[in-house]
Amino acid sequence: RSLPKARIVYCSATGASEVKHLAYMVRLGLWGNGTQFQTFHEFNRAVEKGGVGAMELVAMDMKLRGLYISRQLSFTNVHFQIQEIPLTQAYIEVYNTSCGLWIECKKKFLEAMKLLDFDNRKFKVIMALFWAAHQRFFKYLCIASKVQGAVRIVKQAIRENKCVVIGLQSTGESRLMDVLEEKGGELSEFVSSAKGVLVNLIQKHFPAPYVKSKVTHEVPDKPGELSDSTPGSNPEKDSALDSDNSNTDLSEVNWETVPPLDYEDSTYRRYISSSDTTDGEDMNPFAEGSVPWIANKKTKKLKLEMEDSTTPQAEHSSPIPVAKQPELKKRVRTDPRDVYQRTKDMKQELLDKVEEISVFLPNNTLDELIDCLGGPNQVSEMTGRKGRVVTETNVTAEIEPGIKYELRSCLDVPIDLLNMEEKRKFMDGEVNIAIISEAASSGISLHADKRYKNQKQRLHITLELPWTADKAIQQFGRTHRSNQVVPPQYLFLISELAGERRFASVIARRLENLGALTRGDRKAAGVESSDFTRFNFDTRDGLLALDSLLRCLVGKVSPLASSLSSANEERVRTAIEALITVELISRTPKGKLKLDRELLSVSKFLNRLLGIEVELQNTIFIWFLDTFDFLVRQAKRLGRWDDGIVEMGTTAGEEVERIRMEEFLGDPLFGTGTTRLSTIRVSRGLSWEEVLNRLPTEDSPLVSEDEGLYLSLKDVRGKFYCLLVLSTTDPGMFVVYRPNIGRVNTLMKYSDLQQTYRKVTLEEARPHWIDLYNQSLTKCRHTYFQRRVQDQFP
C-alpha cells in the first residue's frame, strides 16, 4: 500500500489448498476496484460456492493472463498404494468396550450438568470439549490398530533391501509429561495416549462445584490486588480445596457460605469465549492453539472452576468485562453437600472405570513402533519431543528388562541439531528406518540422494494422515526430491474402521482443492489423488446422502440403498439407538425421532461414527456409502455430476476429432486474453474390424475357452446386446467391450456373464455388432433399444 507502483512477485514453496491462502495476494487483481468483487470476502464466498470447479477456473484464468506460474517435481514412476489393515478380534473387543465407556461418560457429564443447572453457553462449552476429546481418543485407537501391520510391512521391506520412512503427526509427549509428573519421574510401563485423553477430560473438565474450606480471606489493599489467601492467587492452595481433589475433607468446608448451586450469578475463573453455534467438529484437536474458545492461547490447562461474582478476583481481574448480575430472586436452594458428593462420586467412578480398561488400551504409537522395530539404535527418530520411553537393555539374567524414560540426548542439544544427527545416521546407512513427525516435515531431505551412501529405495509409510493436504505434500517431499537415484514408494495404511474414512476424507477433499488452485486441475495435486477420491464424502452429494440416510432412519423417506431396505428391523432399531447415543439423531419428550438438519455435516457424522461399536459402525457406513453411490450415479445420468477437467482421447479405443474452432480476440489493456472455442466429436465405440483384430488367431490361440463374442439371452424389440469378452490374468474375470462405448471400465465375472449372455459365432454376432456401432454415431443406447429416452428419476 505504501508502494502502489512497485512491482510485486508473490512466491510460495507450499501450494494453496484453500482460497483463503490467496488472501495476502492483493496485487493479483482478482478483487478490488475495477473487478467483480469489491473485497476478498466476496471473492472467497463466490469461489467456495462454485466448489472445486470454480477453483480450477481461477487458476486457469490467472495462467491465461500471465499472472501465475507453478512448477513441481514430477511424480513419474512414483508408486502410490492404499492398503487396508484388518482388525484383530482382541482389538475389536477393546474398541467396543471403549465405546461403552464413552457412552457411560457422556451420561455422567449430562447428569452432573443437570445437577449444577448449567445454562446453554456452559453446556455447549463442556460438550464441545467432550466431543473434541472423543475424536482424539478414537483417532489414537485407529492409529494403534495399524501398528503391528506397519511393523510387518517394515520388516518385509528391510528384507527386500529397502529403507523405510514412517510418517506420523503427533508424538503424545504432553501425556507422557503428565504421567512423569504424577509418578515422580518413574515409569513401570508404556504410556497410553488414548487413556491420557480420557483421564484429562474427566479430571480437568468434569462438571463439579467449586467449594472453599473454612478459611478467612484477607481483603486486598488495592482493587485487583490479590493476597495469598484470596482464591485464584495461589493455584496450589486452590487446587487443594477444589472438588477435583479427592482428599478434600467435607468437615472443613463452611457450607453456610456456599451459594446456591445454580450458578446464575457466577463467572468463569478463566472466561471461555465461544459462539453459540460452535460445535467443535471441524477443528483440528492436534494443532497448537486450535481450540477457538480459549481466550489465552498460552494457557495449557482449561479449567471450568466457578467463583462467586462478589469475590475481588471476579470483580476486578476478569479477563473481559462482566455484566453486573441482578439480585437473586427467591428460588429453591439445592443442598450443596448432596450435589458436591454426588458429582465427586460420579467423577471417581469414571476414573475407576478408566483404570479398569487402561490395561487393554494401546501404548503410545511412537514408543510402540520404536520398541517393536529394535529400539532407538535401529530407528532414527526425527520429531519435536525431547524424551521417550524405552525398554531397558542393560539387564542381567537375574534382572528382568523394565521400562524407563530417557532423554533423546544426554547433552542439552537443540531439537533441530538432534534431528540433523538422526538424519545423518539414516542417510549414511547406519540405520534403515526413520520415523518423522510434523515437526520434521520441512527442511529435512531423506530421499535416495546421489551424494549420500544410503541410496536404497525409500518406502514411505503414512501411518497417521495429516489434517491438511499441504501438510501431506510436505511429508511426501521428504523422500521425493531432485537428484535422487530411485523414486520412492508411498503406502497409505487405512484400518477397516469405517470412522477412519473421516480422516481420509479430509485429505481427499484438500488434495482436489490443492490441484485445482495450483494447476487448474483437481487431479494434478502432485500425487495420484484419484486413489483418494473414493474417500471424499465431504461434498454436496455426500451431504445429500447423509440427509437421506438419517431421514430414512427416522421414518421420513424411503431408503435409497438396497442394503438398508433389505436390513432386518432389529438391526435398524439398534443402529438408531446407537446414533441417538452419539447425538446424530434425537428423541422428543413424546418419544418421536427427530433430526436437526441445520447442524448436519459429513465431518460431524464421521466423527461421531467413531464412537459406535465396530460391526454396527461399519454397517451404518455401508448404508451411507450405498446411498452416496446411488446419488452419484443419479447425478451422472442427469448430467449434474462435476467431472472437472476431463481428458479426452486417453481411453483405449477413444477417438477425438476437432470439427471447428472459433477464436475470440481479447484486449491486453483490460487484462483479457484470446479465447478459443473448439467443437469436437468423441467416438468411443469399437468397429467390427477392430473386433476381428482383437480376437485370437491361429498364431495366438484362445487363452480361455470362454473368450469370444456373446449375445444377450433376451432381446429388446428384436435387438440383442452384444459383447466381446477377453480373459485376464485373474482367473474367472474378463475384459468386456461393447460396440457403442468400447472397453468397459470394470471387469466382469464369468458367473455374471452366464446369467444374461450366451456365446455365439462370428457370423451370428456380426449384424448385431455392426448395426449398434453405426447407430451409436448419432443415437444413444437407450434410443436404439427403446426408441425414446425415459426419465428414470422423476
Side-chain angles (χ1 to χ4, degrees), residues 81-108:
Q81 182 183 357
I82 299 176
Q83 183 172 336
E84 195 170 82
I85 302 298
L87 303 177
T88 63
Q89 185 60 37
Y91 175 85
I92 293 176
E93 293 177 359
V94 173
Y95 194 98
N96 293 343
T97 305
S98 301
C99 292
L101 179 58
W102 274 93
I103 293 174
E104 179 67 20
C105 185
K106 177 172 171 283
K107 291 180 180 178
K108 299 292 186 186

Side-chain angles (χ1 to χ4, degrees), residues 139 169 284 462 464-473 475-476 503-504 506-507:
K139 179 168 185 178
Q169 294 299 310
N284 177 0
T462 301
E464 179 183 357
L465 288 171
W467 285 87
T468 58
D470 43 2
K471 289 184 179 180
I473 299 297
Q475 273 207 355
F476 300 158
F503 308 108
V506 173
I507 297 300

Side-chain angles (χ1 to χ4, degrees), residues 663-667 672-675:
E663 190 172 277
F664 301 89
L665 299 178
D667 190 343
T672 58
T674 301
T675 303

Side-chain angles (χ1 to χ4, degrees), residues 225-268:
E225 180 180 339
L226 301 179
S227 63
D228 291 339
S229 59
T230 304
S233 62
N234 193 332
E236 295 182 0
K237 291 183 180 180
D238 286 347
S239 62
L241 301 176
D242 197 299
S243 61
D244 288 348
N245 193 333
S246 58
N247 296 325
T248 303
D249 187 359
L250 299 185
S251 62
E252 298 290 331
V253 178
N254 183 6
W255 294 103
E256 297 299 326
T257 62
V258 176
L261 295 178
D262 54 10
Y263 295 100
E264 290 185 10
D265 60 338
S266 303
T267 58
Y268 289 112

